[in-house]
Amino acid sequence: GSKFNGFVNPLLLQICHRDLEESTVPFVERVYCRMPDQPLPWNVKSLIEGPDCSYIQHIVRATHAKILLRGELSGYTELETGREMAEPLFIQINHSNLEGLVEAKQLVDSLLLTVHQKVRDKRSNQDSEQN
């Protein structure tokens, strides 16, 4: 099985990243948090997690998946390096069964579409204010 070790904000550790130590979950999916037309904003982590990590908690409660943000801008420190993984930001979904994984991935995809739209709307508002 895969191991997920590291340190994040202790409050978020309990809320968002419960039970990820020594994970032996057989189904794992990575969903990369790319934006096709622009770089990710500096606050992308909080946009994905939502207030008090509520967006991630919703997916966890609905699907019983384990959700973890990893990579650049994730705030997740890899045990081996003491740094964020030098990969683009991604959401890792772990689940004990395939149906749950598929359901969680659909919710993550929907969440990312919402985040992308929020970022686009905010940037277009900023652009129109500058012109």
Side-chain angles (χ1 to χ4, degrees):
S2 303
K3 284 187 179 180
F4 306 108
N5 296 308
F7 180 79
V8 289
N9 178 326
L11 295 174
L12 291 180
L13 184 64
Q14 291 173 343
I15 297 169
C16 296
H17 309 304
R18 214 171 336 191
D19 302 328
L20 281 158
E21 305 297 323
E22 300 292 331
S23 177
T24 56
V25 176
F27 297 99
V28 180
E29 177 87 21
R30 284 185 178 189
V31 181
Y32 283 87
C33 305
R34 295 187 181 101
M35 297 194 69
D37 48 349
Q38 56 206 328
L40 293 173
W42 62 271
N43 64 336
V44 67
K45 178 181 190 278
S46 63
L47 294 173
I48 292 169
E49 289 180 340
D52 297 323
C53 212
S54 58
Y55 302 160
I56 298 297
Q57 278 196 59
H58 168 74
I59 296 170
V60 169
R61 274 197 298 272
T63 65
H64 305 290
K66 292 178 175 150
I67 307 286
L68 181 63
L69 268 67
R70 294 178 76 183
E72 296 168 352
L73 301 174
S74 69
Y76 184 84
T77 305
E78 302 291 332
L79 186 65
E80 299 79 33
T81 62
R83 296 190 196 101
E84 291 176 340
M85 187 183 286
E87 269 192 58
L89 181 67
F90 64 93
I91 298 172
Q92 183 166 307
I93 307 166
N94 298 356
H95 209 289
S96 58
N97 66 64
L98 186 57
E99 295 81 15
L101 183 78
V102 169
E103 185 183 356
K105 185 179 183 309
Q106 289 171 340
L107 290 173
V108 165
D109 288 342
S110 175
L111 172 60
L112 289 178
L113 285 173
T114 302
V115 168
H116 291 173
Q117 193 58 53
K118 279 184 188 174
V119 170
R120 259 189 229 109
D121 292 349
K122 185 172 184 172
R123 286 192 174 144
S124 65
N125 288 341
Q126 287 171 342
D127 289 347
S128 62
E129 287 171 10
Q130 290 171 358
N131 297 333

